[in-house]
Amino acid sequence: MAYFPNIETIAYEGPTSKNPLAFKFYNPEEKVGDKTMEEHLRFSVAYWHTFVGDGSDQFGVGTMIRPWKQYSEMDSAKARVEAAFELFEKLNVPFFCFHDVDIAPEGDTLKETYQNLDTIVDMIEEYMKTSKTKLLWNTANLFTHPRFVHGAATSCNADVFAYAAAKVKKGLEIAKRLGAENYVFWGGREGYETLLNTDMKLELDNLARFLHMAVDYAKEIGFDGQFLIEPKPKEPTKHQYDFDVATALAFLQTYGLQDHFKFNIEANHATLAGHTFEHELRVARIHGMLGSVDANQGDTLLGWDTDEFPTDLYSTTLAMYEILQNGGLGKGGLNFDAKVRRGSFEPEDLFYAHIAGMDSFAIGLKVAHRLIEDRVFDAFIEERYKSYTEGIGREIVEGAADFHKLEEYALQLGDIRNQSGRQERLKTLLNQYLLDVCAAR
Ligand SMILES: [Mn+2]
């Protein structure tokens, strides 16, 4: 049975196409530099938003019309696998991602949950034999069930720590079985609500113990995917320990975990932390820790995580600029951790949304590639920091200067002359490159 009978395979028709169910800029075969768009962008569909999310919010019930809603429990889980692979094929998307609870319902016992998972993983494995779509990453949901009310690895209750460990152990076995390229840790409830009842030191130590155990178990079973930490400052927990890249990096370094992890950076989590998306990508990149991306966008008028499909071309361009400078994402990809709005409830909206996101990142890729090729910002930055390539600047960089020497130098300086940062001129150049790519029709 077809779950999206009115949708044909989405083809690349070019920027002049009027067909809403076609790619205007994402052409998987097209080469940008030395790689194809498909190789650069490594798009992934998020199972939770696309096949589980029902459009409910704190004030209203679900709105989504979804053909698999006619079934319940395991039948619905099986229907979702069928629907998922139909959508993957029609979008020609190379990857997907899931949490354990997205693919199979939890049973009354952990054992029953495992059985449900095994049944669905068998089915996914069968589909993956003939599908080109691979698993970018999977993860364990350690935040929805009431047992995780006080956290998982940072819970005050050791039984919860053990239960969470069992779920991650199973998750790693599934990752190994399905050939996942990465495994993600997002600690939605790993944080605190009030310090009045919290042993922060023990919670952080326990989180590190938990992650070390995961590293050990992956090694034991021969899972060689990349481990990823996904920073987020808040929501659902008031203060989350993996606040942003810089905070989580300090945590990893403190506990000797930095060689085993990279970051999965989400645009909307960056903005919730008071940063831009490109700031978080840059911090990860310059430390060699950029692993993967949850591609979405927030709404600056709202203070929460809206997980919108990315359509802001400045954001996709500046993100791709960091990703290209990083030499790509390696095993990572651009996962659409994004959901259609509550009012976009028809099944075909899932296709419009993914097309919007894929085309937006394709434009971002092309613009970023040209900006780098033409050394638009690189040349300016090189010139701006030229004082560190000669004279006293060079001595500072090479470690040949100390405070005595710098004081001696400063005392004989006349008027210090700075140069303009030319921000507005550079933004105009960015606009020009964006317009050039979009107008190439
Ligand atoms: Mn989010």
Side-chain angles (χ1 to χ4, degrees):
M1 124 169 216
Y3 292 84
F4 307 102
N6 304 323
I7 310 280
E8 308 283 325
T9 300
I10 308 300
Y12 170 72
E13 292 185 4
T16 56
S17 168
K18 296 272 186 280
N19 178 4
L21 288 167
F23 295 118
K24 317 296 185 300
F25 290 92
Y26 178 60
N27 179 4
E29 319 284 318
E30 186 180 327
K31 278 215 158 177
V32 176
D34 57 352
K35 288 194 282 189
T36 64
M37 279 200 185
E38 185 173 75
E39 290 165 337
H40 275 293
L41 296 165
R42 296 170 62 84
F43 287 128
S44 164
V45 171
Y47 213 92
W48 51 101
H49 286 311
T50 295
F51 303 107
V52 183
D54 66 356
S56 57
D57 65 16
Q58 292 95 319
F59 300 96
V61 297
T63 56
M64 297 297 157
I65 299 168
R66 297 290 182 258
W68 50 88
K69 271 169 98 176
Q70 59 186 300
Y71 308 108
S72 59
E73 294 290 304
M74 283 300 280
D75 286 337
S76 167
K78 288 174 188 171
R80 291 202 303 274
V81 174
E82 293 168 355
F85 279 89
E86 184 186 333
L87 179 134
F88 300 159
E89 197 178 315
K90 287 183 169 174
L91 277 175
N92 185 27
V93 74
F95 294 102
F96 70 113
C97 296
F98 63 80
H99 304 78
D100 47 6
V101 302
D102 305 334
I103 59 166
E106 286 200 81
D108 291 333
T109 62
L110 183 59
K111 212 170 167 182
E112 224 177 277
T113 299
Y114 281 178
Q115 284 163 1
N116 290 349
L117 276 169
D118 288 339
T119 302
I120 300 299
V121 170
D122 283 347
M123 196 176 162
I124 290 176
E125 193 176 36
E126 206 50 41
Y127 268 90
M128 286 177 76
K129 280 181 186 162
T130 52
S131 169
K132 68 163 262 193
T133 306
K134 295 189 286 187
L135 185 57
L136 187 67
W137 52 260
N138 63 308
T139 184
N141 176 319
L142 305 177
F143 45 89
T144 298
H145 193 279
R147 76 177 70 86
F148 300 119
V149 63
H150 300 311
T154 65
S155 173
C156 48
N157 184 345
D159 286 355
V160 176
F161 186 103
Y163 198 100
K167 284 197 37 147
V168 171
K169 178 176 177 289
K170 183 71 176 174
L172 290 169
E173 289 158 13
I174 292 169
K176 160 100 176 151
R177 232 182 111 183
L178 297 180
E181 309 241 346
N182 308 270
Y183 188 88
V184 166
F185 293 86
W186 175 62
R189 298 203 190 269
E190 311 291 29
Y192 68 85
E193 294 292 334
T194 172
L195 289 174
L196 300 180
N197 66 12
T198 301
D199 185 339
M200 186 192 272
K201 179 71 164 69
L202 179 65
E203 291 200 3
L204 286 167
D205 288 349
N206 279 349
L207 180 56
R209 290 183 181 107
F210 190 92
L211 296 177
H212 271 294
M213 288 182 212
V215 169
D216 290 345
Y217 188 65
K219 200 181 231 178
E220 185 184 325
I221 63 171
F223 171 64
D224 61 0
Q226 174 67 51
F227 275 5
L228 299 170
I229 295 254
E230 183 175 328
K232 187 176 182 181
K234 58 188 172 187
E235 200 201 6
T237 303
K238 188 174 86 178
H239 182 103
Q240 211 163 295
Y241 289 135
D242 299 331
F243 194 94
D244 60 3
V245 171
T247 309
L249 180 59
F251 168 83
L252 293 173
Q253 287 170 341
T254 300
Y255 291 97
L257 286 158
Q258 70 276 13
D259 296 337
H260 305 290
F261 286 84
K262 286 187 175 176
F263 289 106
N264 182 41
I265 293 168
E266 175 168 331
N268 208 160
H269 294 184
T271 47
L272 283 178
H275 303 306
T276 59
F277 184 19
E278 56 271 24
H279 166 93
E280 288 291 82
L281 293 167
R282 176 73 62 95
V283 176
R285 169 166 82 78
I286 63 175
H287 291 97
M289 298 290 280
L290 177 51
S292 199
V293 167
D294 267 13
N296 63 15
Q297 69 185 29
D299 186 322
T300 50
L301 300 182
L302 302 173
W304 62 91
D305 193 8
T306 59
D307 287 337
E308 296 173 27
F309 273 86
T311 51
D312 179 332
L313 300 180
Y314 287 115
S315 176
T316 60
T317 297
L318 295 174
M320 287 314 301
Y321 190 81
E322 297 302 324
I323 291 166
L324 289 178
Q325 298 273 25
N326 193 56
L329 288 170
K331 291 184 177 199
L334 297 175
N335 172 51
F336 291 115
D337 184 9
K339 57 190 176 194
V340 289
R341 298 302 88 190
R342 190 162 184 267
S344 305
F345 47 74
E346 292 177 357
E348 60 248 52
D349 287 309
L350 293 173
F351 286 86
Y352 294 133
H354 281 92
I355 291 167
M358 290 161 88
D359 270 343
S360 297
F361 265 95
I363 292 169
L365 166 64
K366 287 181 122 171
V367 179
H369 174 74
R370 284 195 199 179
L371 286 166
I372 292 168
E373 237 189 0
D374 293 353
R375 304 196 75 249
V376 175
F377 303 134
D378 282 346
F380 186 85
I381 289 170
E382 205 174 281
E383 180 63 26
R384 190 166 185 237
Y385 292 88
K386 209 177 68 188
S387 68
Y388 287 95
T389 62
E390 59 203 14
I392 194 71
R394 189 167 174 162
E395 289 185 50
I396 291 169
V397 169
E398 290 178 348
D402 60 11
F403 270 14
H404 297 288
K405 192 164 198 177
L406 292 169
E407 182 187 52
E408 191 186 320
Y409 179 84
L411 282 168
Q412 53 79 39
L413 273 175
D415 279 348
I416 293 178
R417 286 231 305 269
N418 274 311
Q419 276 168 355
S420 168
R422 297 267 189 271
Q423 217 177 116
E424 298 77 8
R425 161 96 184 107
L426 294 169
K427 285 186 175 177
T428 305
L429 283 169
L430 175 58
N431 278 348
Q432 195 57 53
Y433 273 73
L434 242 165
L435 289 168
D436 283 352
V437 163
C438 294
R441 58 179 73 192

